[in-house]
Amino acid sequence: MTPDPDARVALIIEDDADVRQLLVMTLGMSGFTTIEAENGRQGVALVRDRQPDLVTLDLNLPDIDGVEVCRQIRPLTDAYVIMITARQDEIDRLIGLEIGADDFVVKPFSPREVGARVNAMFRRPRSTVRNPSQPLVGTDATEQQSTAPALTVAADPVAGMLTHGSLSIDTEGRIASLDGVEVPLTRIEFDLLATLVSGPRRVWQRETLLSRIWGDGWVNDQHLVEVHIRNLRKKLGEDTKAPRFIRTVRGVGYRMMPPSAD
């Protein structure tokens, strides 16, 4: 069968042939064209050459481990990354998320669970206009409008711009700047920041952020929000004891500090 040239592409980086074939079947049923890599170096090369929309990445690879692979591919792609491991340790999950992974699945996993998580990720709100240098990711405009709310853009003379003190967010070009300098954010970090700034007086509950950015069915994974907020704060140069931008509302979630505190 000839591959659909318009299908989303999933790269499976996995040294176990049985697991690899299970993921090929699972992602194929979700409409992906799949490509495979047996080790980390091959995976990095395929990311560079093929620009996949999704990467599943085994943590324990025979040459370079999944954390290092994720670190190497993040500057090359904005694809969703799901790390897969046989180890249950929470530290593995945190390390993976901190270097740019979007989710973490532990073996043995259910194909139905993987499919549901992938579908939820691709239902996240996305701008219909993107930087031409960025890889094409996410759902088409029709699915996007029917499954996820668009970001609310504050009134501004320039369409698609959000401002909050010295923060400037171009929601169409997906560029965030602080004091005029671009801040290198991952896909999730950008969506979190744009969401918080779109309602600066609102206290955003963790459950609401999970549903809005990750999709429904993720309410039990609140640590995802906490880890990505922590990463976002680091990139904004935040002092957690005296936050400049993002304030934690204990027991609830997060809100933006007033611009006057900038």
Side-chain angles (χ1 to χ4, degrees):
M1 181 181 296
T2 303
D4 181 356
D6 296 324
R8 295 177 297 196
V9 175
L11 169 60
I12 300 165
I13 307 176
E14 170 65 61
D15 64 318
D16 186 315
D18 292 335
V19 175
R20 204 163 58 241
Q21 288 307 307
L22 179 60
L23 288 168
V24 167
M25 179 190 70
T26 300
L27 297 174
M29 292 177 64
S30 295
F32 287 87
T33 294
T34 57
I35 52 179
E36 304 169 46
E38 297 180 2
N39 58 60
R41 290 184 176 87
Q42 184 183 6
V44 173
L46 284 172
V47 167
R48 183 182 295 109
D49 295 341
R50 297 292 298 273
Q51 286 296 316
D53 302 290
L54 170 71
V55 177
T56 67
L57 175 56
D58 186 28
L59 185 64
N60 188 23
L61 293 168
D63 52 352
I64 52 177
D65 69 21
V67 170
E68 179 58 27
V69 173
C70 191
R71 186 176 288 114
Q72 290 186 26
I73 68 175
R74 260 300 161 230
L76 304 175
T77 180
D78 199 26
Y80 294 100
V81 176
I82 298 179
M83 299 195 73
I84 299 177
T85 184
R87 303 206 297 263
Q88 297 272 354
D89 308 56
E90 182 70 8
I91 188 64
D92 288 343
R93 177 186 288 275
L94 294 179
I95 289 174
L97 294 174
E98 286 180 352
I99 50 89
D102 296 283
D103 194 15
F104 206 99
V105 176
V106 178
K107 300 175 185 176
F109 55 82
S110 161
R112 180 177 296 180
E113 177 191 4
V114 172
R117 286 178 176 268
V118 168
N119 290 334
M121 285 193 296
F122 277 87
R123 288 199 300 268
R124 291 181 196 144
R126 289 289 174 260
S127 171
T128 57
V129 179
R130 66 184 180 91
N131 187 325
S133 65
Q134 295 175 330
L136 181 61
V137 292
T139 58
D140 60 35
T142 301
E143 181 182 355
Q144 187 177 19
Q145 291 173 2
S146 64
T147 59
L151 291 175
T152 302
V153 179
D156 192 279
V158 181
M161 293 297 296
L162 291 166
T163 57
H164 189 84
S166 56
L167 273 173
S168 178
I169 302 171
D170 178 354
T171 60
E172 295 187 347
R174 298 186 63 79
I175 298 172
S177 301
L178 173 59
D179 297 320
V181 178
E182 183 176 349
V183 182
L185 301 179
T186 67
R187 181 197 306 273
I188 291 177
E189 290 163 1
F190 181 91
D191 288 346
L192 276 172
L193 183 60
T195 298
L196 291 170
V197 175
S198 73
R201 297 183 179 180
R202 173 176 175 176
V203 176
W204 292 88
Q205 294 182 327
R206 293 176 178 84
E207 296 89 342
T208 301
L209 292 171
L210 279 166
S211 177
R212 186 181 180 94
I213 296 174
W214 278 267
D216 294 332
W218 293 63
V219 292
N220 293 323
D221 290 330
Q222 293 186 25
H223 67 278
L224 287 174
V225 177
E226 295 166 3
V227 170
H228 286 291
I229 286 287
R230 185 173 66 190
N231 295 341
L232 179 57
R233 282 171 163 160
K234 287 180 181 177
K235 292 184 179 181
L236 294 176
E238 288 272 63
D239 178 353
T240 55
K241 295 181 179 179
R244 183 183 179 191
F245 296 111
I246 302 173
R247 175 186 174 187
T248 299
V249 180
R250 291 187 179 278
V252 183
Y254 306 93
R255 63 166 296 172
M256 296 299 293
M257 295 290 291
S260 58
D262 185 13

Coordinates of all heavy atoms in Angstrom, one line a residue, residues 126-158:
R126 N -4.0 24.8 18.8 CA -2.9 25.3 18.0 C -3.3 26.5 17.1 O -4.4 26.5 16.6 CB -2.4 24.1 17.1 CG -1.7 23.0 17.8 CD -0.4 23.4 18.4 NE 0.2 22.4 19.3 CZ 0.1 22.5 20.6 NH1 -0.5 23.4 21.2 NH2 0.7 21.5 21.3
S127 N -2.4 27.4 16.9 CA -2.6 28.5 16.0 C -2.7 27.9 14.6 O -2.0 27.0 14.2 CB -1.5 29.5 16.1 OG -1.6 30.4 15.1
T128 N -3.6 28.5 13.8 CA -3.7 28.0 12.4 C -2.6 28.7 11.5 O -2.5 28.3 10.4 CB -5.1 28.4 11.8 OG1 -5.3 29.8 11.9 CG2 -6.2 27.7 12.6
V129 N -1.9 29.6 12.1 CA -0.8 30.3 11.3 C 0.5 29.9 12.1 O 0.6 30.1 13.3 CB -1.0 31.8 11.3 CG1 0.2 32.4 10.5 CG2 -2.3 32.2 10.6
R130 N 1.5 29.5 11.4 CA 2.7 29.1 12.0 C 3.9 29.7 11.3 O 3.8 30.1 10.2 CB 2.9 27.5 12.0 CG 3.1 27.0 10.6 CD 3.1 25.4 10.6 NE 3.2 24.9 9.3 CZ 4.4 24.6 8.7 NH1 5.5 24.8 9.4 NH2 4.5 24.2 7.5
N131 N 5.0 29.7 11.9 CA 6.3 30.1 11.3 C 6.7 29.1 10.3 O 6.7 27.9 10.6 CB 7.4 30.1 12.4 CG 8.7 30.7 11.9 OD1 9.0 30.5 10.8 ND2 9.3 31.5 12.8
P132 N 6.9 29.5 9.0 CA 7.3 28.5 8.0 C 8.5 27.6 8.3 O 8.6 26.5 7.8 CB 7.5 29.4 6.8 CG 6.8 30.6 7.0 CD 6.9 30.8 8.5
S133 N 9.3 28.1 9.2 CA 10.5 27.3 9.6 C 10.2 26.2 10.6 O 11.0 25.3 10.8 CB 11.6 28.2 10.2 OG 11.2 28.8 11.4
Q134 N 9.0 26.3 11.1 CA 8.6 25.2 12.1 C 8.0 24.1 11.4 O 7.3 24.2 10.4 CB 7.6 25.8 13.1 CG 8.2 26.9 14.0 CD 7.2 27.5 14.9 OE1 6.0 27.5 14.6 NE2 7.6 28.0 16.1
P135 N 8.2 22.8 11.9 CA 7.5 21.7 11.3 C 6.0 21.7 11.5 O 5.5 22.3 12.5 CB 8.1 20.5 12.1 CG 8.6 21.1 13.4 CD 9.0 22.5 13.1
L136 N 5.3 21.2 10.5 CA 3.8 21.2 10.6 C 3.4 20.1 11.6 O 3.7 18.9 11.4 CB 3.2 20.9 9.2 CG 1.7 20.9 9.1 CD1 1.1 22.2 9.5 CD2 1.3 20.5 7.7
V137 N 2.7 20.5 12.6 CA 2.3 19.5 13.6 C 0.8 19.8 14.0 O 0.3 20.8 13.7 CB 3.1 19.7 14.9 CG1 4.5 19.2 14.6 CG2 3.1 21.1 15.4
G138 N 0.2 18.9 14.8 CA -1.1 19.1 15.3 C -2.2 18.7 14.3 O -1.9 18.1 13.3
T139 N -3.4 19.0 14.6 CA -4.6 18.6 13.8 C -4.8 19.6 12.8 O -4.3 20.7 12.8 CB -5.8 18.5 14.7 OG1 -6.0 19.8 15.4 CG2 -5.6 17.4 15.8
D140 N -5.7 19.3 11.8 CA -6.1 20.3 10.8 C -7.0 21.2 11.4 O -7.5 21.0 12.5 CB -6.7 19.6 9.6 CG -7.9 18.8 9.9 OD1 -8.7 19.2 10.7 OD2 -8.1 17.7 9.2
A141 N -7.3 22.3 10.7 CA -8.1 23.4 11.3 C -9.5 23.0 11.7 O -10.0 23.4 12.7 CB -8.2 24.6 10.3
T142 N -10.1 22.1 10.9 CA -11.5 21.7 11.2 C -11.6 20.9 12.5 O -12.4 21.1 13.3 CB -12.0 20.8 10.0 OG1 -12.0 21.5 8.8 CG2 -13.4 20.3 10.3
E143 N -10.6 19.9 12.6 CA -10.6 19.1 13.9 C -10.3 20.0 15.1 O -10.8 19.9 16.1 CB -9.6 18.0 13.8 CG -9.6 17.1 15.0 CD -8.6 16.0 14.9 OE1 -7.9 15.9 13.9 OE2 -8.4 15.3 15.9
Q144 N -9.4 21.0 14.9 CA -8.9 21.8 15.9 C -10.1 22.6 16.5 O -10.3 22.8 17.7 CB -7.8 22.8 15.4 CG -7.2 23.6 16.5 CD -6.1 24.4 15.9 OE1 -6.0 24.7 14.7 NE2 -5.2 24.9 16.7
Q145 N -10.9 23.2 15.6 CA -12.0 24.0 16.0 C -13.1 23.2 16.7 O -13.7 23.7 17.6 CB -12.6 24.7 14.8 CG -11.7 25.8 14.2 CD -12.2 26.3 12.9 OE1 -13.3 26.0 12.5 NE2 -11.5 27.2 12.3
S146 N -13.2 21.9 16.4 CA -14.3 21.1 16.9 C -13.9 20.5 18.2 O -14.8 20.0 19.0 CB -14.7 20.0 15.9 OG -13.6 19.2 15.7
T147 N -12.6 20.4 18.6 CA -12.2 19.6 19.7 C -11.6 20.4 20.8 O -11.4 19.9 21.9 CB -11.3 18.5 19.3 OG1 -10.1 19.1 18.7 CG2 -11.9 17.5 18.4
A148 N -11.1 21.6 20.5 CA -10.4 22.4 21.6 C -10.6 23.9 21.4 O -10.7 24.4 20.3 CB -8.9 22.1 21.4
P149 N -10.7 24.6 22.5 CA -10.9 26.0 22.5 C -9.7 26.7 22.0 O -8.6 26.3 22.3 CB -11.3 26.4 23.9 CG -10.6 25.3 24.7 CD -10.6 24.1 23.9
A150 N -9.9 27.8 21.3 CA -8.8 28.6 20.8 C -8.3 29.5 22.0 O -9.1 29.8 22.9 CB -9.1 29.5 19.6
L151 N -7.0 29.8 22.0 CA -6.5 30.7 23.0 C -7.2 32.1 22.9 O -7.4 32.6 21.8 CB -5.0 30.9 22.8 CG -4.1 29.7 23.2 CD1 -2.7 30.0 22.8 CD2 -4.3 29.3 24.6
T152 N -7.5 32.7 24.0 CA -8.1 34.0 24.0 C -7.0 35.0 23.9 O -6.1 35.1 24.8 CB -8.9 34.2 25.3 OG1 -9.9 33.2 25.4 CG2 -9.6 35.6 25.3
V153 N -7.1 35.9 22.9 CA -6.1 36.9 22.7 C -6.5 38.2 23.2 O -7.6 38.7 22.8 CB -5.7 37.0 21.2 CG1 -4.7 38.0 20.9 CG2 -5.3 35.6 20.6
A154 N -5.8 38.8 24.1 CA -6.1 40.1 24.6 C -6.1 41.2 23.5 O -5.4 41.1 22.5 CB -5.2 40.5 25.7
A155 N -6.9 42.3 23.7 CA -6.9 43.3 22.7 C -5.5 43.9 22.6 O -4.8 44.2 23.5 CB -7.9 44.4 23.2
D156 N -5.1 44.1 21.3 CA -3.8 44.6 21.0 C -3.8 45.2 19.6 O -4.5 44.6 18.7 CB -2.7 43.6 21.1 CG -1.3 44.1 21.1 OD1 -0.8 44.4 20.0 OD2 -0.7 44.3 22.2
P157 N -3.1 46.3 19.3 CA -3.1 46.8 17.9 C -2.6 45.8 16.9 O -3.0 45.9 15.7 CB -2.2 48.0 18.0 CG -2.2 48.4 19.5 CD -2.4 47.1 20.2
V158 N -1.8 44.9 17.3 CA -1.3 43.9 16.4 C -2.0 42.5 16.7 O -2.0 42.0 17.8 CB 0.3 43.7 16.6 CG1 0.8 42.6 15.6 CG2 1.0 45.0 16.4

